[in-house]
Amino acid sequence: MTGRLGPDELRELFLFEKLTDEQLAWLAERGEVAAYEAGTTIYRVGEPATCLYVLLEGTLSMVMRAPLGEIEVNRTDHRGTYAGAFFAYLDLPLARSYSTGLRAVTDCRFWVLGAEDFGRAVREWFPMATHMLEGFAIQGMGSQQTVSTRERLVALGTVTAGLTHELNNPATAAARATHTLAERLRGLWDELAALAGGGLAADRLAALIDLIRQAEGLTDQAPLSPLEASDREDELGGWLEEHGVTGAWDLAPPLVAAGVDTGWLERVAAAVGAGALPHAVGVAAIACEAESLLEEAAEASGRISALIGAAKQYSQMDRGPLQQVDVHDGLESTLTMLKHKLETGIEVVRDYDRSLPELPAYAGELNQVWTNLVDNAAAAMEGMDGRGRLTVRTARDGDRALVEIGDNGPGIPEAAAPHVLEPFYTTKPVGKGTGLGLDICWRIVVQRHHGDLRFTSTPGDTRFQVLLPLTW
């Protein structure tokens, strides 16, 4: 510090020109003059807001964070320009840290007042204005929080719809398989009762069971083409008809699916005799189909379990907020959650660097970033009739991990590009977006993870790049 300003000198500054002599004297006792050499960073964005700075001499520069680094938002040599803790009179989070950075472009002198003194002065001297400004700030933050919450709920709805869609197919398959299996089991009891009523000897029944077990073991063979399966069904159906088996054409498909041929049917006929053949073939067909239905139900159940696992990974519901994560896990779970949006003819290309180490992150929040970026890319490729291509790439960029999500859509219009990361700016039609999706991404990546979010866009090649530090 290099001295103080008297009350009359303070009155020359437009910020204080309407104050009383008593108020100016109070400020003069508490403020001091400070000098900074050209090129000095006086304070940085996000540091605790401890002082109000009023320019006396020189040129200053105020900077803010932006996608490609810090950008200058104001450069001035106007005497009396103020910066720093000018929200100190508000008991709100935004008042506790500097929202901009301040640098001395040339040698500068400032009158500096502690934030606590400045906040006390404004609250005591201008109580009505303080209440109005505080209400305005709270209302503004509340409005943004409401819209931000809606944006998050929309993203959640998108994921929920995708999960529901994906779960529906295996659930339906499992329900269909179990229903069909119940019907076939009822038929099996009828066939077994008929065999028992026909007096089939125990040794012949044992031989039939051995042949059925052999047939079930044939399912591991290479699957038949549709034409080969049709020819085989015609062959088996004809053989069954020739041997007086009713419903031959209903029995042939499950037998063909099990891999049996007419030679196997000949062995069954020899084992049980002509009289028991129709019921023996019925038992065999039901047993083979039951095996297939059980495999179908097991596969569907496995698919459901895998989807639930992906949802669990996506939501991170059983983990602490800050953890060491593999970004590939989050990317894959997000692609699974949004699969329904990518099944409209969009090719997904993965280019992963699996050597990337785990990094510290709020995994659930990062998954929201991936959701917004993938969802935006899918929306950009709507109507491309199967020509869309989503590229998800990871790589190492020095001491940071790079996650790149690209699409071959029409690109971001040149006029829109400077604004796409701004709050409430959207290129989507009315009702399709709030303009906070990318703003949320920006805040999660930059403010929460100390990373960077940037993009490049030309027609046919749009890429959003997320850079995350490997250590904090």
Side-chain angles (χ1 to χ4, degrees):
M1 299 296 179
T2 59
R4 298 180 182 274
L5 294 184
D8 291 337
E9 292 174 293
L10 284 177
R11 193 186 301 277
E12 294 175 358
L13 302 172
F14 69 87
L15 190 62
F16 309 122
E17 60 186 0
K18 300 296 184 182
L19 298 182
T20 65
D21 292 343
E22 182 181 356
Q23 291 168 338
L24 289 170
W26 188 91
L27 291 174
E29 290 179 1
R30 289 163 175 78
E32 296 183 319
V33 176
Y36 295 92
E37 295 182 354
T40 302
T41 296
I42 300 166
Y43 60 78
R44 292 181 172 82
V45 180
E47 291 181 347
T50 58
C51 296
L52 174 75
Y53 294 83
V54 181
L55 182 66
L56 301 176
E57 295 177 5
T59 301
L60 62 77
S61 171
M62 283 186 277
V63 298
M64 295 185 69
R65 288 175 178 162
L68 298 180
E70 291 185 338
I71 60 171
E72 185 177 79
V73 293
N74 188 25
R75 178 180 291 224
T76 182
D77 60 0
H78 183 66
R79 178 178 168 83
T81 297
Y82 56 91
F86 49 79
F87 285 132
Y89 53 87
L90 299 178
D91 186 20
L92 295 172
L94 65 86
R96 296 169 192 158
S97 59
Y98 294 120
S99 58
T100 64
L102 183 65
R103 296 173 183 165
V105 178
T106 65
D107 291 345
C108 291
R109 292 176 63 245
F110 291 90
W111 184 77
V112 183
L113 180 66
E116 185 176 346
D117 288 332
F118 176 64
R120 174 185 171 189
V122 175
R123 286 192 297 270
E124 292 181 359
W125 298 346
F126 312 104
M128 181 177 177
T130 300
H131 289 313
M132 294 185 69
L133 289 169
E134 187 170 13
F136 178 77
I138 291 173
Q139 183 180 12
M141 289 190 298
S143 298
Q144 180 162 347
Q145 182 63 38
T146 298
V147 179
S148 177
T149 300
R150 180 187 179 278
E151 184 75 16
R152 292 172 186 265
L153 288 173
V154 168
L156 177 61
T158 298
V159 170
T160 302
L163 180 60
T164 302
H165 177 85
E166 290 300 314
L167 284 171
N168 182 63
N169 291 335
T172 300
R176 182 177 61 248
T178 53
H179 176 74
T180 304
L181 182 58
E183 291 183 343
R184 297 298 181 266
L185 288 176
R186 285 192 292 270
L188 179 62
W189 311 141
D190 294 338
E191 297 291 0
L192 288 173
L195 284 175
L200 186 66
D203 59 337
R204 288 178 176 256
L205 180 60
L208 173 62
I209 292 173
D210 286 340
L211 287 168
I212 292 174
R213 286 174 174 167
Q214 292 175 21
E216 291 174 346
L218 298 174
T219 55
D220 294 334
Q221 295 179 356
L224 300 174
S225 68
L227 182 58
E228 290 172 334
S230 178
D231 291 342
R232 184 73 62 82
E233 287 172 13
D234 288 342
E235 182 182 0
L236 264 62
W239 188 96
L240 292 172
E241 276 194 336
E242 291 175 3
H243 289 75
V245 177
T246 57
W249 301 103
D250 293 328
L251 297 173
L255 292 172
V256 170
V260 305
D261 54 19
T262 54
W264 182 85
L265 291 174
E266 293 284 1
R267 292 196 295 275
V268 171
V272 301
L277 180 61
H279 299 300
V281 173
V283 169
I286 292 172
C288 290
E289 187 173 6
E291 183 79 11
S292 175
L293 290 169
L294 284 172
E295 289 178 358
E296 184 178 342
E299 182 179 351
S301 299
R303 176 63 177 155
I304 291 172
S305 296
L307 285 167
I308 291 173
K312 190 175 181 181
Q313 166 67 33
Y314 179 85
S315 65
Q316 297 291 310
M317 62 186 182
D318 63 341
R319 304 188 185 185
L322 182 62
Q323 57 197 274
Q324 292 293 120
V325 303
D326 183 339
V327 293
H328 303 101
D329 293 339
L331 289 168
E332 282 302 308
S333 64
T334 301
L335 291 173
T336 299
M337 294 299 100
L338 296 179
K339 186 177 178 182
H340 68 293
K341 286 206 165 190
L342 305 174
E343 289 179 333
T344 57
I346 296 176
E347 176 191 6
V348 179
V349 178
R350 295 169 172 83
D351 182 10
Y352 291 161
D353 178 2
R354 290 289 186 177
S355 67
L356 277 178
E358 293 185 342
L359 51 86
Y362 298 93
E365 296 184 28
L366 277 188
N367 287 344
Q368 188 170 17
V369 173
W370 314 142
T371 298
N372 282 327
L373 295 182
V374 172
D375 186 50
N376 284 348
M381 293 183 285
E382 285 182 357
M384 293 189 66
D385 299 326
R387 294 179 291 108
R389 185 177 64 257
L390 174 75
T391 303
V392 183
R393 185 171 74 90
T394 62
R396 184 161 186 158
D397 186 341
D399 59 353
R400 299 185 294 183
L402 167 68
V403 178
E404 181 180 87
I405 296 177
D407 67 78
N408 64 336
I412 300 171
E414 186 175 348
H419 308 288
V420 294
L421 295 177
E422 295 176 2
F424 305 107
Y425 185 87
T426 180
T427 59
K428 295 178 180 178
V430 175
K432 293 289 188 180
T434 63
L436 282 180
L438 289 176
D439 176 61
I440 289 172
C441 292
W442 165 252
R443 284 187 278 121
I444 289 173
V445 172
V446 176
Q447 297 179 1
R448 290 284 278 170
H449 291 86
H450 316 296
D452 195 9
L453 173 63
R454 58 184 66 169
F455 69 91
T456 60
S457 182
T458 57
D461 186 12
T462 297
R463 305 181 190 185
F464 278 84
Q465 295 181 329
V466 174
L467 291 156
L468 300 168
L470 296 174
T471 58
W472 285 16

